[in-house]
Amino acid sequence: MGRLVNVAALVAAMVLPAAHGAWADPVKGGVIDVATVGEPPTLDPMASTADLVGIVTQHIFETLYTFGKDWAVTPLLAADMPQISADGLTYTIPLRTGIKFHDGSDMDSADVVASLERWEKIATRGKQAAEVIAGIEAPDANSVKITLKKPYAPLLSLLAFNNAAAIIIPSENAGEDPLTKFIGTGPYMLKDRKPDQFIQLARFDGYKSRDGESNFYGGARKQYLDEIRFVPVPDPNTRVEGAVAGQFAYADALPVEAYDKISGGKTKPVILKPFGWPVFVMNTKEGLNSDIRIRKAVQAALAPNDMLTAAFGSTDFFAVDGSMYPEGFAWHNIVGIDAYKPDGDTEAAAALLKEAGYDGSKPLRILTSRQYEFHYKMAQVAQAYLEQAGFKVKLDVVEWATLTKNRQDPKLWDIYITHSPFLPEPSLNGFMSDTTPGWWATDAKHKAVEAFNAESDPAKRAKLYEDVQKVIYDEAPIYKVGDFNALAAQAPNLEGVTPAPWPFFWNAWLEK
């Protein structure tokens, strides 16, 4: 897996310190309310790539591996890193023993095999891995063997990710689709869910933490809090006001212009810098954007400078950058970025539209949501530039849960707007899979991605990623707008929270 250079500086998180300075000793007990952008469309993390689903469910379910410091893959339910055969085709994974599910049953290799087989069928990332997995079996009760058809460098990162996640559940539940029994091995278990009101998680007293220190998403997971309640608050200004009033111990995904407002009183700002990138995903399967000339016209027309300024205001919170990864990441390169025009080129876009025979009778449908207000602001600016180039544009503004549902249907949209943190392994990005909404699947993509995924040497992989970035720009299945920093708010008496792109609250406690 490619490592980041100087990650501590790149994924820097700034929490304004409490007046007393260093953390006090952890205290057990208490309940926290966490404000999220909305109601998750499901609590089955295999069935969704929505970050919101992963944020909540990573407390309930666990995977064989996760990400530790510097985004290195580290064991979670696995006892250790896998033994990999010399030819790179066989991964033998030892399992931890004494692990209990929330229903009191013991986890063993039969549960792991059934869970991974379900992941291959249901999760977009599982389907991605299934293309190269020849078989999954259990040599004994405490180990699992995965056999590949060909070497595949991203496998462990896919197994570690909390998004379309390879969660381990009891084998008797693995046949469910959709999942109705939310039973995992995590430090907290589902106690109650009232849609559009809260998701209530309670400490699982049968939880067996790893030994040692905490290690980002890995290592020891201590259960100091009695309960964690995730409260859907779709309106970003309401999240801000609730944080300022002390209503929420943590409020996620806040508009950056609220920084000054949340810098005093009953809350403090948390900044992740750089957090990630906003992206316009093109529907390459049906409709206008199935024509590459139309996609290239969109690519030419958009003006990231104005879009990012509208969305984030100050360059303290964004950078106009066409590289898929910013400087400092092993994957950073500038191949293909001549097609990224900071101020747009509506004349070039208009010429491409003329070449494609577009007459304006059919609208370009942009699917977006106001729960992430910066998505909506970018959509408004994009609409103006696209119309100037000659497009007829229709903004379809819906709830985030509706967006994640509607993007599954290629008949309903031409572009949808989303965002992602900078992921440690490029093949974790959804568009790298043929089956994720957008459905980008071409010979040129397959040639570049398959060569990249087959190589295990980090330096050679970084060079091969240049070919991947080139084909992204050549075929325009997505449009990266730029880089941005994320803002959240945290109560001064909430301690032990490690700033992270998907916030987690094991190891957190309330200071008395």
Side-chain angles (χ1 to χ4, degrees), residues 13 275 413:
F275 175 82
W413 59 278

Side-chain angles (χ1 to χ4, degrees), residues 48 68 102 107 207 249 261 265 283 313 320 323 339 344 360 406 439 462 478 482 510:
S48 178
H102 297 156
M107 183 196 82
Y207 183 68
K261 189 166 192 174
N283 179 355
V320 179
S323 298
N406 287 359
W439 303 281
I478 61 163
L510 289 169

Side-chain angles (χ1 to χ4, degrees), residues 60-175:
I60 303 171
F61 302 103
E62 294 179 313
T63 47
L64 292 173
Y65 295 97
T66 190
F67 293 108
K69 184 182 177 184
D70 289 354
W71 292 99
V73 173
T74 189
L76 185 53
L77 289 176
D80 206 341
M81 297 302 287
Q83 292 181 339
I84 305 175
S85 61
D87 61 7
L89 297 180
T90 303
Y91 287 61
T92 303
I93 301 172
L95 305 176
R96 292 170 61 200
T97 57
I99 302 296
K100 290 194 175 293
F101 289 109
H102 297 156
D103 62 1
S105 62
D106 294 314
M107 183 196 82
D108 63 17
S109 59
D111 301 304
V112 176
V113 170
S115 297
L116 294 182
E117 288 176 344
R118 181 181 191 268
W119 178 64
E120 288 184 286
K121 293 174 187 155
I122 290 174
T124 57
R125 303 187 199 286
K127 292 175 183 177
Q128 192 175 343
E131 294 175 5
V132 296
I133 293 176
I136 304 171
E137 57 186 307
D140 54 56
N142 299 318
S143 67
V144 169
K145 184 167 77 173
I146 300 176
T147 305
L148 305 180
K149 301 171 187 174
K150 56 186 177 182
Y152 188 66
L155 178 64
L156 292 182
S157 293
L158 287 168
L159 290 174
F161 203 28
N162 72 356
N163 181 303
I167 57 166
I168 307 306
I169 59 178
S171 57
E172 56 267 28
N173 297 343

Side-chain angles (χ1 to χ4, degrees), residues 328-378:
F329 282 74
W331 314 115
H332 172 75
N333 70 82
I334 58 171
V335 174
I337 67 169
D338 287 348
Y340 178 85
K341 308 293 185 185
D343 298 311
D345 187 342
T346 52
E347 288 185 10
L352 284 161
L353 286 182
K354 185 176 180 181
E355 180 187 334
Y358 178 76
D359 62 4
S361 61
K362 202 171 185 181
L364 184 78
R365 300 161 300 170
I366 300 177
L367 182 61
T368 191
S369 171
R370 296 199 71 164
Q371 281 160 267
Y372 294 104
E373 185 70 9
F374 68 97
H375 290 191
Y376 178 67
K377 290 178 178 178
M378 288 188 300

